[in-house]
Amino acid sequence: MSFTRRAMLAATPTVAAATMTNQVFAQAQSTASAAASGSRQAPGFYRFKVGDIEVTAINDGVAPRSVEGFIRNADINDVKKALRDAFLPETGYQNSYTTLVLQTGGRTVLIDTGNGDSGPPTTGLWMANFRAAGFDPAQVSTIIISHFHGDHINGMRLKDGTAVFPNAEVMVPAAEWTFWMDDAKMAQAPEGLKPGFNNVRRVFAPIAKDVKQYEAGKELVPGVTAVAAFGHSPGHMAFTIASGNSRLMMMSDATNHPALFVKNPDWSAVFDQDADMARATRRKLLDMAASERVQVSLYHAPFPATGHIARDGASYEFVPVQWTPMLL
Ligand SMILES: [Zn+2]
């Protein structure tokens, strides 16, 4: 199957959405990167160190998020103003997806896996970026999942059923497993949540007996400890990644875009399953990060999605890290 760059540029997003598979998109990406200039960025991976642990942030692309109906408890004009203040289009923004690869204790560990070939057409870049960073899916020894929303688990299994990481043990939050694998919960769920239940079964059913369920407070692999961050989903987890005197807090989806939810920690996005709990979790983690001056990674922050949290009155500010060519 051939899909030239010219054809790709000519295709409307809707046509592209209908026709583009993960492989084709990756192919299109490499074609584009071969040109002297073009419509694409350099591969989306970014490395940094946390003590002896090497961290590689891997981007899975972006997808447009409209402000219409997005935040339950804020006036839409306030949402538009927050975007304008961040020099973003007030109609919405590009929601970004960034997972972490950790090299720790001789293992290659993933925290979440991106959209795979199941996401919007401007996602699905994860595998090309992972390979560009020098990794191979067969070398992944452990996958730690933060929660069961599709943009975090679909990278594990292609739509045709293929398992993407043949040698990886899979660790999932026990409370996520209990909620999403419960047939009674699925039957009671609002229509909008049912596809999520079906997707969890699609991804996990073939490996159900091998999946390891974990609790908060457990060290999952050397240096990585789960932190309860419930609310966005029933068993949603953040992580502390520690080595020597260095520490990183992976906040997962405790906030979505920082210009909205770090700035306005009490705002509730439509996809926070328990809005009050999600708000309390967000405030707790932001407060901890600001007080302890610990570096954070946020799954949905602009790439490379890592920086610090500064206090700003009752609110907070996300301050991205300074890029360096060498690992410090
Ligand atoms: Zn997410």
Side-chain angles (χ1 to χ4, degrees), residues 18 26 28 42-43 86 92 111 192 203 207 224 226 293 308:
I111 298 187
V203 171
I207 54 165
V224 181
R293 297 179 67 83
H308 291 84

Side-chain angles (χ1 to χ4, degrees), residues 147 149 151-152 232 253 299-300:
H147 67 295
H149 291 167
D151 53 324
H152 298 255
H232 175 66
D253 282 17
Y299 193 83
H300 293 293

Side-chain angles (χ1 to χ4, degrees), residues 95-97 112 146-147 149-152 232 236 252-253 255-256 271 299-300:
N95 188 25
S96 181
Y97 307 83
D112 291 336
S146 68
H147 67 295
H149 291 167
D151 53 324
H152 298 255
H232 175 66
H236 178 262
S252 307
D253 282 17
T255 94
N256 192 267
F271 42 58
Y299 193 83
H300 293 293

Side-chain angles (χ1 to χ4, degrees), residues 233-298:
S233 71
H236 178 262
M237 291 284 183
F239 305 94
T240 300
I241 297 151
S243 170
N245 294 324
S246 300
R247 203 147 56 94
L248 173 76
M249 191 198 289
M250 177 50 171
M251 290 179 60
S252 307
D253 282 17
T255 94
N256 192 267
H257 198 299
L260 297 179
F261 300 98
V262 174
K263 265 273 187 217
N264 302 277
D266 294 328
W267 283 2
S268 289
V270 285
F271 42 58
D272 286 344
Q273 288 180 240
D274 182 329
D276 289 340
M277 199 186 286
R279 225 180 344 257
T281 292
R282 186 177 310 125
R283 280 218 168 262
K284 190 172 124 194
L285 295 183
L286 290 172
D287 181 70
M288 198 188 297
S291 302
E292 299 175 17
R293 297 179 67 83
V294 64
Q295 187 174 337
V296 299
S297 285
L298 311 174

